[in-house]
Each structure stands twice: as structure tokens, then as C-alpha cells.
Amino acid sequence: MDSERFAKSRTRPPCPWQGPARHDTVSVAGRINPDVARYYPPPAPLARTVRNHVALRNGVVVENVAGRASR
């Protein structure tokens, strides 16, 4: 992830089986998309498959930029 475009959010919704979620706000070309990235640091034991993954919403399109590897 391009850390220049992501900013921590105060949003912390609970999830009964994945654990407490964290959100990031994304800013691209002057446009701000609040709470668009969700992740679980660390997830609850039953949700360990979401460790090191980020879910994106609100029309986010991920593109590979020349010279940078997508992750």
C-alpha cells in the first residue's frame, strides 16, 4: 500500500468474530474518501485468514503504477 495516500481514522467498529477493526482514509488527487480501508490488527483467532489483508470500499480502484509492485 502507498502509505502517502492513507491516513489513520478514529473509526473503530467492533466485530464479534474478527475483532476490533481499524480504518484508514484515502486521499488521491485532492479527493478524500473517509474510512475506505478496513483491516484487523491483529484479527481474532477465528479470523486469522484476514491477517495482513486490507478491504477497500466506496468505489476504490486499485491500479498498478509503472515501476511499483502491487501488493
Side-chain angles (χ1 to χ4, degrees), residues 8-66:
K8 301 292 179 211
S9 168
R10 291 181 177 220
T11 303
R12 303 276 192 272
C15 177
W17 75 275
Q18 291 177 319
R22 301 286 173 97
H23 285 87
D24 282 357
T25 293
V26 175
S27 176
V28 177
R31 296 179 64 192
I32 296 173
N33 197 341
D35 297 338
V36 72
R38 176 186 284 208
Y39 57 98
Y40 298 88
L46 291 175
R48 64 186 171 273
T49 58
V50 299
R51 181 184 298 276
N52 299 323
H53 287 78
V54 176
L56 302 171
R57 62 178 180 86
N58 288 349
V60 172
V61 176
V62 178
E63 298 177 356
N64 189 10
V65 179

